Amino acid sequence: MNKSLPSLTLLGLSAAAALVLTGCDREAASDPVARGRHIVENVAMCVDCHTPHLPDGRLDPDKTLQGAVLPFAATVPMPWGPSAPAIAGLPTYPDDESAIKFLMTGQTNHGVAPRPPMPGYRLSREEAEAVVAYLRSVTPGKS
Ligand code: HEC
């Protein structure tokens, strides 16, 4: 009788995930840069690692996405990237397509995956394009 429950639950979860990724902000829906900013700041949380924190725990608003030494580390031996590079302006990805591919596959333009805790994202093309458009709009060395 309850056979359809698991699939219904799955459907509900996918709908919730789609809602989170799509965002409800009208501006973000029509403007790729605003949509990218929403994903970077509120969904994928790139800012948490790629922006330095102030002593009180807030993100430093003058150093948005300018790279940071991570304030945490793995508790077991494992591959680990102790700092997150600057991604404002995406200086290490001169062409958009390789950056988009990186965000869609998790593979860098050198064909490898960065070390944890950098997540291996599987964004849709539209999401990846929006994130790249936003990152390009952030001036390197400025907020
Ligand atoms: C949990 C922390 C964390 C989050 C969240 C995170 N990153 Fe990273 N990222 C890192 C670390 C650490 C590295 C460096 C890994 C290494 O040294 O191998 C890195 C590396 C990178 C690189 C360089 C890849 C290369 O070519 O070597 C890019 C670009 C990048 N991240 C973009 C992003 C974007 C865009 C997001 C959000 C969509 C994001 N990161 C979210 C921690 C994070």
Side-chain angles (χ1 to χ4, degrees):
M1 188 167 168
N2 276 340
K3 259 191 185 161
S4 60
L5 258 188
S7 52
L8 270 184
T9 311
L10 256 186
L11 196 68
L13 282 177
S14 338
L19 259 186
V20 169
L21 283 178
T22 308
C24 302
D25 183 10
R26 256 183 204 195
E27 191 199 345
S30 59
D31 173 2
V33 172
R35 172 143 168 74
R37 182 176 189 162
H38 174 67
I39 294 170
V40 166
E41 292 184 349
N42 305 311
V43 182
M45 307 307 297
C46 320
V47 285
D48 262 1
C49 293
H50 287 272
T51 300
H53 288 79
L54 294 168
D56 67 5
R58 284 183 304 124
L59 295 173
D60 187 336
D62 296 327
K63 296 191 174 154
T64 300
L65 300 172
Q66 287 177 34
V69 175
L70 298 181
F72 58 92
T75 56
V76 292
M78 63 181 283
W80 188 259
S83 59
I87 55 172
L90 270 181
T92 57
Y93 282 81
D95 70 298
D96 284 1
E97 196 51 37
S98 56
I100 290 165
K101 195 175 148 226
F102 172 54
L103 293 170
M104 292 176 69
T105 64
Q107 301 290 304
T108 68
N109 51 6
H110 306 296
V112 292
R115 291 169 296 178
M118 172 65 198
Y121 290 103
R122 303 292 189 274
L123 300 188
S124 71
R125 170 160 286 274
E126 178 266 334
E127 288 160 348
E129 285 175 355
V131 168
V132 169
Y134 169 61
L135 294 177
R136 290 267 186 244
S137 79
V138 185
T139 312
K142 275 178 79 186
S143 59

